[in-house]
Amino acid sequence: MAEKKVEQESRPDSNGMEKIVSLCKRRGFVFQGSEIYGGLAGIYDYGPNGVELLNNLKRLWWKANVYDKENYYGLDSGMFKHPKVWEASGHTSGFSDPLAECRECNTRIRVDKELEKVGVTADEKMSETEINQLFDAHREEIKCPKCGQKNFTPARAFNLLVKSNLGDFTSEGTEPVYLPGEACQGIYLNFKNVVDSMNPKIPFGIAQIGKAFRNEISPRNFLFRTREMEQADTQYFVKPNENKEAYELIKQDRWDWYLSIGIKEENLRWKQHENLVFYAKDAWDIEYNFPGGFDELEGIHDRSDYDLTQHMEYSGTDVRYTDPDNGEKYIPWILETSVGLGRMFMAVLSDAYHEDEVGGSQRTVLKLHKELAPYRVAVSPLLKNKPQLVEKAREVFAMLKKEFGNVAWDDNGNVGKRYRRQDEIGTPHCVTIDFDTLGEENPANKDTVTVRDRDTGEQVRVPVTDLIGYIQ
Ligand code: GAP
């Protein structure tokens, strides 16, 4: 019998973060890194359902940014890079956050973020002295988030790069090899290789999904600010000064992409950076309305010729592009899009999370876009101790698995419990093989199955032969 659905939908409120974190753990989406050892701050692991959602996000992002475009190329660069790369990029000198420590309980704070909370914006380009002047002027308003005291050390610039000891066999006299502070540097290093091997004509883009690491002072809000992250980046190379129109088109393209994966437009908004980071000419964020409020989801940056100019100077290699039509040589300008997959994952979950009532009971349901759901469909025999039902269900399962790949077999508990479980992980359809399928109750229904819709709770009978088309 079809379950009656009561409209009573909600997305998580300000306490919603806890609900999402709890769902993620309960249903195998995300676990705290090294949990059995007490955890490692700012590090998370994706579980069996999480990795499916994450891979689906990456697949759709890649499709939109490589396959659906004519002039974009993919790349996968190594994580470790020559030590000079991070000097050239400005990260060894400029990639820092102002850190102060509570003298009472040793809690570390990010001074710019604490100032922000009391309505004061610190410019990214401020020197240590300038930020301390601002900090001193507002010390009375800033309390330690742990002990509530106001007794802090002065702020000092804390570099966010994570050092490794790759190749450091003597520990003396070697420059540290850093883990990437941002994934995009691999694209700049390979710009010349891509030009030489693929002969693209400017304008063209390079897309990459890669890991980045930051020694964040205070990792927070679950996947929002982590120390290890994955960034999905595109870098679009244009002629100098031909940036404005392309920048607007790229901004629109990224906005539309979020709508295409089911994010509600009212949960997105634009924010232009007032204080630009050291490399940017212009920068806009797409912000998402996370459970705690609007915050940065993706950055879209006009980086001018900064990156390639720096790498040309530090490496001594001529990375200029030669226009095949007139032989003109120039350093292209770069328009960047960069989004952390963890933030994208959280935005998608927050958007999809609903609580409502179906069949007289409360449920939590993830209304995920069907291309994002960990499982496209779940298959169950009505009763698991009836061999004829199980055999038929196994046949249907094998057929669907061949077509879709990510198909769940679920024979645990009663049908109602299975539906609730699949709702919580966002499975769009549940297929049940019952006595009608065997033709035992109503011969007209032989070889049909019940297909139940996640969002409405409605159930329809579909002939097995039409099932793939129906689910598609
Ligand atoms: N290459 C440009 C760049 O890295 P960014 O604004 O520092 O720019 C780009 O980072 C995106 O990476 C952000 O919009 C955000 O989605 C994500 N991101 C940055 N820091 C992060 C962190 N600590 N944890 C999770 N995601 C982060």
Side-chain angles (χ1 to χ4, degrees), residues 91 95 181-185 188 212 214 216 223-231 233 235 273 277 279 285-286 296-299 301 303 336-344:
H91 283 77
F95 191 50
E182 55 176 4
C184 62
Q185 291 298 328
Y188 311 141
R214 296 182 184 179
E216 296 286 354
L223 305 174
F224 184 84
R225 192 172 298 290
T226 52
R227 288 182 170 145
E228 174 180 348
M229 71 186 112
E230 213 165 9
Q231 291 179 316
D233 291 339
Q235 311 289 325
H273 285 213
V277 289
Y279 53 74
D285 291 339
I286 295 181
E296 176 181 344
L297 170 61
E298 166 158 355
H301 310 131
R303 298 178 74 124
E336 168 184 71
T337 71
S338 182
V339 54
L341 277 151
R343 287 194 195 179
M344 209 197 269

Side-chain angles (χ1 to χ4, degrees), residues 379-383 389 392-393 396 431-435 437-438 449:
V379 179
S380 304
L382 182 67
L383 301 170
L389 289 177
K392 186 73 189 166
V396 172
V431 169
T432 304
I433 283 71
D434 52 24
F435 292 106
T437 317
L438 305 178
V449 291

Side-chain angles (χ1 to χ4, degrees), residues 74-100:
L75 185 79
D76 189 354
S77 62
M79 265 202 283
F80 290 113
K81 296 177 173 70
H82 193 283
K84 287 253 168 331
V85 168
W86 303 107
E87 268 179 56
S89 67
H91 283 77
T92 48
S93 55
F95 191 50
S96 57
D97 283 335
L99 172 146

Side-chain angles (χ1 to χ4, degrees), residues 7 12 37 78 84-85 101 137 151-152 195 204 209 222 233 254 267 275 295 307 312-313 349 351 353 388 424:
E7 291 296 337
Y37 284 91
K84 287 253 168 331
V85 168
E101 203 166 309
N151 186 10
F152 293 104
V195 169
F204 74 92
I209 297 176
F222 196 36
D233 291 339
R254 292 305 302 144
N267 288 328
N275 301 307
D295 214 330
D307 304 280
M312 186 150 143
E313 190 186 321
L349 281 188
D351 226 77
Y353 186 101
Q388 306 98 305
E424 279 206 329

Side-chain angles (χ1 to χ4, degrees), residues 270-312:
W270 284 110
K271 184 180 175 197
Q272 187 173 22
H273 285 213
E274 286 169 25
N275 301 307
L276 295 171
V277 289
F278 56 87
Y279 53 74
K281 271 235 169 341
D282 194 5
W284 288 77
D285 291 339
I286 295 181
E287 292 195 330
Y288 178 77
N289 191 10
F290 291 102
F294 275 98
D295 214 330
E296 176 181 344
L297 170 61
E298 166 158 355
I300 299 164
H301 310 131
D302 182 342
R303 298 178 74 124
S304 72
D305 60 358
Y306 174 83
D307 304 280
L308 290 180
T309 304
Q310 290 292 101
H311 287 306
M312 186 150 143

